[in-house]
Amino acid sequence: MLNSRKTLIVIAGPTAVGKTDAAIKLSKYWNSEIISADSRQFFSEMSIGTAKPDQQQLNEVKHHFIGQLSIHDYYNVSKFENEVMQLLEKLFGKHDVVIMVGGSGLYIDAVCKGIDNFPDPEPELRSFLKGIYLDEGIVKLQEMLFHIDPEYYAKVDINNPNRLLRALEVCHTTGKKFSEQRLNSNKNRGFRIIKVGLNLPRPQLFNRIGFRVDQMVEKGLVEEVQNLLPFRHLNALNTVGYKEIFDFLDSKINLEQAIENIKTNTRRYAKRQLTWFNRTDEYAWFEPSELNEITNYLLSGSK
RNA sequence: GGGGGGGUACCAGAGCGGUCAAAUGGGGCAGACUGUAAAUCUGUUGGCUAAGCCUUCGGAGGUUCGAAUCCUCCUCCCCCCA
């Protein structure tokens, strides 16, 4: 069991706000290490388009969960939760403070609050259900769910194929209703968690997004995506910055248009992230440049 | 100079006498979200003292009980002929 003096500092915020830099500085201050909670920076083949920390930054502070997976690997939040918890046990052995940075809200929450246990989905079942959806449409999924798990049917977003697919998948593999197993439990972690949100006035954030996308293109985004073209069907590549370039490589749109689309979709992504983080009032919000304020806040809170 | 087409909400683009504050798409804004999550999905998008009222469909007049829709003039744009 972890010592309660141990603290996990969570740094969250919308994409391109400046989380990486801030986390590195804070990590240096506490002489600690960084756990990344970014569902796309996990993949070794995706670097430019995911704005991974560069080699110099990686050398400055030890990072975990950056590029540890291949786009061909199957991964999910639950695995992330387990791996992070294992790692934390080790890290807290030598540090009182560990920093977790990232923009993937679900992944952050899985670490902070835990996530219910479900068996891993069987790939065959998953593709079977997907086939039904593709062949017979969402209405068929709705009917299936209505019969198997009316309770969940009553509360899900009935138009969201992913949700329906997942619920059906769980019902079929466990033989039990999804709604009965989805406890929304709140695991008690043996360490303190302090959450810091980083944000900027919207116009400024959006400027940074535009600038960063241009930079990605200069660094060779198109080539990176081109090399991944054969694997475009993989889930990891259903990602902003990649799908738009695929459209360009398909000659559906020109480069300029693709770049514009990436910027637009990134702005939307940032908005969705903010919506997620604003769901709770657990975050103390700062601008990324307010390092002193952040440090003071953390010091007063981590005592 | 002659002939033709057209100017509709942030943009594109339907509508072509009432059921039009105006389809649809894009963009914007807001939201949902426990295993594909940078994914997936939803709502909203003229104004207001909001089941009502006010101001909108290039501009000005006119016809009509009634006009984004018809007529006249003006204006701007596009295409064809010279």
Side-chain angles (χ1 to χ4, degrees), chain A residues 1-279:
Chain A
M1 205 59 248
L2 296 164
N3 189 309
S4 65
R5 277 177 55 248
K6 306 296 181 179
T7 302
L8 177 68
I9 294 175
V10 175
I11 309 290
T15 188
V17 79
K19 295 188 293 296
T20 301
D21 283 342
I24 287 174
K25 283 172 185 149
L26 293 172
S27 186
K28 281 175 135 175
Y29 179 87
W30 270 282
N31 196 251
S32 189
E33 303 183 20
I34 290 177
I35 293 173
S36 171
D38 185 306
S39 72
R40 294 292 125 122
Q41 292 184 0
F42 296 157
F43 301 104
S44 62
E45 297 92 335
M46 302 163 73
S47 293
I48 299 172
T50 60
K52 268 186 197 153
D54 60 32
Q55 198 50 54
Q56 192 199 326
Q57 293 172 312
L58 293 175
N59 290 341
E60 279 185 79
V61 173
K62 171 78 178 159
H63 282 69
H64 302 268
F65 296 94
I66 297 279
Q68 87 282 14
L69 294 176
S70 160
I71 53 174
H72 301 280
D73 294 331
Y74 170 71
Y75 203 68
N76 65 41
V77 221
S78 182
K79 288 177 187 286
F80 182 72
E81 177 198 11
N82 293 329
E83 290 170 15
V84 171
M85 292 313 291
Q86 280 179 29
L87 176 66
L88 276 176
E89 196 144 354
K90 258 201 295 187
L91 293 182
F92 280 137
K94 43 182 176 171
H95 304 287
D96 283 339
V97 169
V98 173
I99 315 272
M100 182 165 78
V101 227
S104 303
L106 180 64
Y107 283 67
I108 292 173
D109 287 355
V111 170
C112 296
K113 301 193 288 207
I115 196 163
D116 291 327
N117 273 325
F118 292 105
D120 276 345
E122 297 156 30
E124 313 80 53
L125 175 62
R126 192 166 259 201
S127 56
F128 172 72
L129 291 169
K130 186 72 181 286
I132 291 178
Y133 168 56
L134 263 21
D135 293 344
E136 306 180 52
I138 195 155
V139 173
K140 181 69 185 174
L141 298 184
Q142 293 170 345
E143 287 171 2
M144 291 169 73
L145 184 64
F146 180 74
H147 288 298
I148 299 174
D149 189 349
E151 288 78 14
Y152 190 61
Y153 176 90
K155 62 191 288 192
V156 242
D157 184 352
I158 224 64
N159 293 312
N160 192 328
N162 284 192
R163 298 261 142 75
L164 302 183
L165 254 10
R166 165 103 265 252
L168 289 170
E169 166 184 295
V170 172
C171 291
H172 280 291
T173 64
T174 61
K176 287 188 281 184
K177 291 179 181 176
F178 184 51
S179 57
E180 287 172 358
Q181 304 171 76
R182 219 176 61 111
L183 308 172
N184 240 300
S185 54
N186 210 156
K187 294 179 191 166
N188 206 6
R189 301 308 195 191
F191 47 87
R192 200 192 328 260
I193 296 172
I194 304 181
K195 295 180 175 178
V196 167
L198 260 29
N199 199 188
L200 285 168
R202 187 102 27 126
Q204 233 172 298
L205 210 217
F206 285 5
N207 267 340
R208 286 183 59 107
I209 286 172
F211 180 72
R212 195 174 74 175
V213 171
D214 289 334
Q215 271 187 322
M216 286 177 177
V217 174
E218 279 169 37
K219 287 183 187 163
L221 213 217
V222 176
E223 294 78 76
E224 177 170 292
V225 178
Q226 192 139 34
N227 292 330
L228 298 175
L229 198 54
F231 317 116
R232 60 188 302 173
H233 60 280
L234 294 174
N235 176 255
L237 293 173
N238 183 188
T239 298
V240 173
Y242 292 78
K243 45 187 175 186
E244 297 84 354
I245 298 293
F246 285 143
D247 285 343
F248 161 61
L249 295 174
D250 286 344
S251 300
K252 282 192 205 147
I253 53 178
N254 61 34
L255 218 212
E256 194 188 354
Q257 189 53 248
I259 293 170
E260 251 346 280
N261 291 351
I262 293 174
K263 291 177 181 173
T264 300
N265 289 331
T266 303
R267 279 184 238 120
R268 289 184 169 154
Y269 171 49
K271 174 58 179 81
R272 269 178 275 132
Q273 290 176 299
L274 288 167
T275 298
W276 182 287
F277 297 128
N278 281 139
R279 262 207 302 190

